[in-house]
Amino acid sequence: LTLRHHFNHIAMAAGRGCVLSQRRAMVLAGRQESRLLAAALLALATCHSLVFLSTPASGPPGPRREMVLGGLLPLALPQAAHAGLALKNPLGWSGGFVEYTVADAFKVSMPDNYKVLEQQPMKTVWQGDRQGELNTMVAQAKVVEEDTLEKALGMDGKSLRDIGEQLSNKRPFGGSDFMGVEKLEGVDAYRFEFVNDKIHEYILYALVNKGSQKLLCTVITRAPGLLWANGNRYQTLGKIVGSFALA
């Protein structure tokens, strides 16, 4: 009886070990599926088009961006904005734009369902089509002494790629990856694209002459990363930046 009891105890322990092993395998499989799903969503949010950065860098890229800056970069390239141009939008936006003048120096157009949260002589803030700080747009200007955009950004003598790299380190939540840069047609302005785990941004910088003053003008458009492609939102944000014009 003692020997049989001992064998029964061994069999029960082995059975419990098998069940625990099966549970551990199921947990690991679930974690792997979650990682694959997150990767697929990120790829979907950034795979709309490609642009090649040909501007030479003055030094090697940072280690966390070597893969991004190796050649072809994902970057959406919408055309310049036109007031009233309709886009497919599941949130019910009519497709119309409203033009605003900022600092009496430049104009920018916002979708007509974006609400003004703050309006000052040198700065305007809008709430996008969703609530929350990550869905706010900003257009602002400040007086500077520098006579070039590179100097005004504190990056005189640097290439556009190096400027984008350094600007990306200053983005919210500990910095972003620099995805690309594009010059706007007809104005001396550049659109930079940045993305991190929480937010995706198009940011425009321009140096504008206003009388005897020089103004560093900035337009910030953004959305949470998972909403970037939802309802063609990245196209809408690109059209906002593309609407930049001198007042």
Side-chain angles (χ1 to χ4, degrees):
L1 290 177
T2 300
L3 183 59
R4 180 179 298 174
H5 178 74
H6 180 65
F7 283 148
N8 287 340
H9 179 73
I10 293 175
M12 291 174 64
R16 285 194 297 269
C18 181
V19 171
L20 290 175
S21 297
Q22 291 176 348
R23 289 178 179 175
R24 177 178 174 80
M26 292 174 64
V27 170
L28 292 175
R31 290 177 179 174
Q32 180 67 15
E33 289 179 359
S34 297
R35 286 194 293 267
L36 290 174
L37 177 59
L41 289 173
L42 180 59
L44 177 63
T46 57
C47 69
H48 299 284
S49 58
L50 296 173
V51 65
F52 181 72
L53 280 183
S54 58
T55 306
S58 60
R64 70 189 176 104
R65 300 185 179 88
E66 286 179 354
M67 181 177 68
V68 176
L69 296 175
L72 291 174
L73 306 181
L75 174 64
L77 299 175
Q79 301 298 317
H82 299 280
L85 182 62
L87 291 174
K88 293 180 181 178
N89 194 312
L91 299 178
W93 171 42
S94 70
F97 281 83
V98 177
E99 186 178 79
Y100 297 85
T101 300
V102 180
D104 291 327
F106 69 92
K107 298 178 181 180
V108 65
S109 296
M110 293 285 166
D112 56 16
N113 64 337
Y114 284 23
K115 305 301 181 183
V116 175
L117 296 179
E118 174 186 346
Q119 194 162 24
Q120 302 178 12
M122 302 291 280
K123 179 181 181 181
T124 304
V125 180
W126 296 264
Q127 185 68 62
D129 56 6
R130 289 176 181 264
Q131 297 299 312
E133 185 179 355
L134 299 186
N135 290 285
T136 55
M137 318 299 153
V138 181
Q140 60 189 359
K142 69 175 182 178
V143 178
V144 296
E145 299 295 331
E146 292 79 8
D147 58 356
T148 68
L149 179 59
E150 291 83 357
K151 292 179 181 178
L153 292 172
M155 302 181 192
D156 187 29
K158 295 185 180 295
S159 69
L160 287 174
R161 189 171 76 174
D162 286 339
I163 291 174
E165 282 287 330
Q166 293 198 22
L167 290 174
S168 70
N169 292 323
K170 301 178 182 180
R171 300 317 306 151
F173 308 109
S176 295
D177 286 334
F178 167 49
M179 303 300 290
V181 59
E182 174 191 350
K183 186 180 186 305
L184 269 66
E185 295 182 5
V187 291
D188 187 19
Y190 295 87
R191 187 192 78 183
F192 295 83
E193 183 178 8
F194 306 105
V195 61
N196 61 33
D197 292 342
K198 293 185 178 181
I199 193 168
H200 202 143
E201 301 175 294
Y202 282 151
I203 302 181
L204 174 142
Y205 293 101
L207 190 65
V208 173
N209 292 319
K210 181 187 174 185
S212 61
Q213 293 181 323
K214 295 186 182 300
L215 300 178
L216 176 60
C217 302
T218 307
V219 177
I220 301 174
T221 64
R222 55 194 175 187
L226 292 180
L227 296 179
W228 185 250
N230 181 258
N232 292 328
R233 186 174 279 100
Y234 74 98
Q235 292 183 358
T236 303
L237 301 184
K239 289 178 181 297
I240 293 172
V241 173
S243 70
F244 178 90
L246 301 182

